Amino acid sequence: MNVVTALKFYITKMTEESGPGMKVLLMDKQTISIVSLVYSQSEILMKEVYLFERIDAAARSEGLKHLKCIVFVRPTKENVALLCNELRNPKYGVYYIYFSNIIAKADIKLLAESDEQEVVREVHEYYADYLAVSPHLFSLGINACCQGLTWNPGNLHRTVQGITAVLLSLKKCPYIRYQNSSEMAKRLSEKIREVLTRESNSFKFREESNSILLILDRKDDPVTPLLNQWTYQAMVHELLTINNNRVDLSHVKGISKELQEVVISAQHDEFYENNLYLNFGEIGQTIKDLMEDFQRRAKKHQKVESIADMKNFVEAYPLFKKMSGTVAKHVTLVGELSTMVGEHNLLEVSELEQELSCQSEHSTQLQKIKKLINDTRVRDKDATRLVMLYALHYEKHANNDITGLLEMLKKRGVSEKYTKLVYNLLEYSGVNSRQSNLFNHEAVAKITKKLFKGLSGVDNIYTQHSPLLFETLEDMVKGKLNVQTFPYLGNMVMTKRPQEIIVFIVGGTTYEESLAVHNLNRLNTDTKIILGGTTIHNFDSFTEEIQTATTGIIPRYRPRHH
């Protein structure tokens, strides 16, 4: 069960089925992202693909009849219409058409009718209709999936298609379980079962199913996406935002042109692959080692005195060049993270976030929040997220001072966009909407605080929080997940322990949860877990999710005045 391998298999097959010769790859906006996450441009060029075109581009290259065209698009009405136009007036010699998901028979008929010049050689369904972020993590790239606390119909349809593609690409026909308290999780489960029934021919996989699809709702754990992160991948996403493996650094003072946008991909960057789960203290040390190694190699290469020396240097050079690129990129990223941690007092902010999510000391925590709201180094968004965590934790506390903290934020000049979020969050995910008690962590409070030794040692105060997902999956792996709280869909009940779990979070997942799944996969070698979400959140995207979800609903939460 590896989503990267599954997608690479399809894309390799597409580029090879048309045989040798120069090819053009015709895609849409979504399929470009799907391909670029698993293949670099140079890897695609090696497959004789010399031109990349977008099917909806206004101006495209003309008269290239000597090229074969590989079409890889999503099976949408718009794409089918564009493709029909293309076939009526073909720009290329022959066409091999691949849809990223199940295509309606009526649409195939339309294409056949448009192919008057008989340029189409093949039409296939290749189920590469999701973003494979890492072997155990996928996303559908849908930001803000609900409206008025229920599904936006277009996003529901897209989510059903995405999960269907995941199941077909991994050849799984799973039992379905869902979070009982979530109407959205239930509806999605039912829609997926409809597809499994309707397309039963496509889902005839030989083995008896030992896999489970578990559908959860982000609303049950709003804490995880609110926290600042301290492992490399999660930190880069939280502070700089990773968008389809790309990080925009153009805002960094004095940045060189080639580093204004960097690609970080575990597929193509060994350093990143080996270090994405390390915490910040460890990553600093690793970067230092990498630089020293680089300097040693550079010194060694200065002696070029003979032909043999030159030959050796040239042989080592591609690696050398690649390494210097990697060094520069990660030094820049870690440098920028380090600056932000210092400038915005993130160590103190994060320590309090962890306390708010793991310990109950109301009056002490309230005083600490007030102090940090008055600290000019703290960003508005961090002051707001502390108040949001406080509101979630102490919503029902007799002496809670949510109103007072909001007044302080307003006095500080925090924008209305942020101050509104506090009550929006309680609408979205307050105690009445959650099925689990997130803050009953008596055991955690007893953890003795470890000193923060340069942020090494994962058991320190900055990583006390463990996402709710970890607990849920641990129960499921042991076969102990409560059947009332997480019922099976229909009368199908699995009698043995699952060997494969595909867990999907409606409303988005996080890199902290991806790390939890990575750790569970390491601990339980006989159960494979894959995690997906409508998107992968950081604080900014999660607040957008909350705002969209609570637009147009009548507020239950009114500020209380003391």
Side-chain angles (χ1 to χ4, degrees), residues 23-29 32 51-65 67-73 78-97 119:
K23 310 173 182 80
V24 57
L25 189 51
L26 187 60
M27 296 181 280
D28 62 33
K29 191 179 173 206
I32 286 174
L51 190 61
F52 302 88
E53 295 266 32
R54 248 182 78 172
I55 193 162
D56 57 351
R60 293 213 342 253
S61 319
E62 283 297 327
L64 298 167
K65 296 282 192 209
L67 288 182
K68 298 173 179 177
C69 179
I70 300 166
V71 181
F72 174 44
V73 291
E78 300 77 42
N79 283 342
V80 171
L82 288 165
L83 210 42
C84 287
N85 287 340
E86 176 81 27
L87 295 177
R88 284 188 204 102
N89 180 19
K91 293 184 174 57
Y92 311 106
V94 290
Y95 287 76
Y96 294 80
I97 299 172
V119 287

Side-chain angles (χ1 to χ4, degrees), residues 226-287:
L226 289 177
L227 301 173
N228 269 296
Q229 295 300 315
W230 293 102
T231 54
Y232 191 35
Q233 179 185 40
M235 220 178 155
V236 171
H237 189 48
E238 184 52 52
L239 295 177
L240 299 168
T241 307
I242 302 171
N243 194 349
N244 285 345
N245 281 353
R246 289 166 194 279
V247 181
D248 180 1
L249 293 172
S250 56
H251 61 280
V252 176
K253 265 215 301 270
I255 189 104
S256 67
K257 199 161 186 271
E258 64 272 16
L259 288 173
Q260 288 190 355
E261 183 183 72
V262 297
V263 175
I264 51 171
S265 149
Q267 266 39 274
H268 307 113
D269 179 340
E270 205 180 327
F271 178 85
Y272 184 60
E273 183 188 18
N274 294 336
N275 297 292
L276 65 148
Y277 299 124
L278 287 193
N279 71 43
F280 195 50
E282 296 162 327
I283 199 87
Q285 188 52 50
T286 314
I287 288 273

Side-chain angles (χ1 to χ4, degrees), residues 489-507:
L489 191 63
N491 311 322
M492 312 278 286
V493 175
M494 193 170 187
T495 47
K496 46 188 184 296
R497 281 192 196 178
Q499 284 177 333
E500 296 165 330
I501 301 167
I502 298 163
V503 56
F504 185 84
I505 304 181
V506 173

Side-chain angles (χ1 to χ4, degrees), residues 546-562:
I546 296 165
Q547 280 162 337
T548 313
T550 51
T551 302
I553 60 168
I554 295 152
R556 287 172 300 183
Y557 292 88
R558 300 247 177 252
R560 286 187 330 191
H561 293 289
H562 290 300

Side-chain angles (χ1 to χ4, degrees), residues 178-183 185-186 215 435 483-487:
Y178 61 94
Q179 184 182 309
N180 202 13
S181 64
S182 164
E183 200 40 57
K186 188 176 185 200
I215 296 183
Q435 99 178 353
V483 183
Q484 271 72 47
T485 327
F486 298 96

Side-chain angles (χ1 to χ4, degrees), residues 375-502:
D375 183 336
T376 51
R377 290 171 301 166
V378 173
R379 298 179 297 177
D380 285 358
K381 67 157 80 173
D382 292 320
T384 308
R385 79 167 98 204
L386 288 170
V387 178
M388 289 166 85
L389 285 163
Y390 171 87
L392 280 172
H393 193 147
Y394 295 112
E395 182 188 343
K396 295 287 192 223
H397 192 285
N399 300 326
N400 86 45
D401 193 14
I402 300 174
T403 319
L405 290 173
L406 276 171
E407 282 309 314
M408 284 185 74
L409 288 179
K410 285 176 189 154
K411 220 186 261 157
R412 184 190 150 118
V414 171
S415 72
E416 191 186 8
K417 172 189 144 183
Y418 280 149
T419 53
K420 274 185 157 166
L421 273 170
V422 178
Y423 283 111
N424 287 352
L425 174 66
L426 295 178
E427 294 292 348
Y428 176 81
S429 194
V431 87
N432 302 334
S433 336
R434 296 195 306 267
Q435 99 178 353
S436 33
N437 182 352
L438 284 175
F439 299 103
N440 187 10
H441 287 304
E442 287 316 301
V444 183
K446 297 192 182 82
I447 293 176
T448 52
K449 285 192 188 178
K450 298 276 194 297
L451 278 175
F452 191 44
K453 294 198 272 299
L455 247 161
S456 63
V458 176
D459 50 355
N460 66 43
I461 51 175
Y462 295 85
T463 48
Q464 294 173 53
H465 174 260
S466 167
L468 179 65
L469 179 71
F470 190 83
E471 218 173 291
T472 308
L473 287 173
E474 227 176 10
D475 285 350
M476 183 171 246
V477 168
K478 292 175 184 157
K480 290 182 177 164
L481 191 63
N482 186 311
V483 183
Q484 271 72 47
T485 327
F486 298 96
Y488 283 87
L489 191 63
N491 311 322
M492 312 278 286
V493 175
M494 193 170 187
T495 47
K496 46 188 184 296
R497 281 192 196 178
Q499 284 177 333
E500 296 165 330
I501 301 167
I502 298 163

Side-chain angles (χ1 to χ4, degrees), residues 139-147 150-152 155-156 159 163 179 182 184-185 188 215-222 224-225 428 504-510 513 531-539 541-546 548-549:
S139 159
L140 302 179
I142 301 170
N143 293 344
C145 68
C146 65
Q147 266 168 328
T150 182
W151 275 108
N152 160 321
N155 290 337
L156 174 59
T159 304
I163 295 175
Q179 184 182 309
S182 164
M184 287 178 78
L188 177 59
I215 296 183
L216 306 176
D217 192 324
R218 178 76 275 158
K219 296 184 200 73
D220 217 34
D221 175 8
T224 301
Y428 176 81
F504 185 84
I505 304 181
V506 173
T509 185
T510 63
E513 285 156 332
L531 169 66
T534 38
T535 189
I536 300 173
H537 281 309
N538 56 14
F539 178 78
S541 62
F542 183 49
T543 53
E544 189 191 325
E545 190 87 40
I546 296 165
T548 313

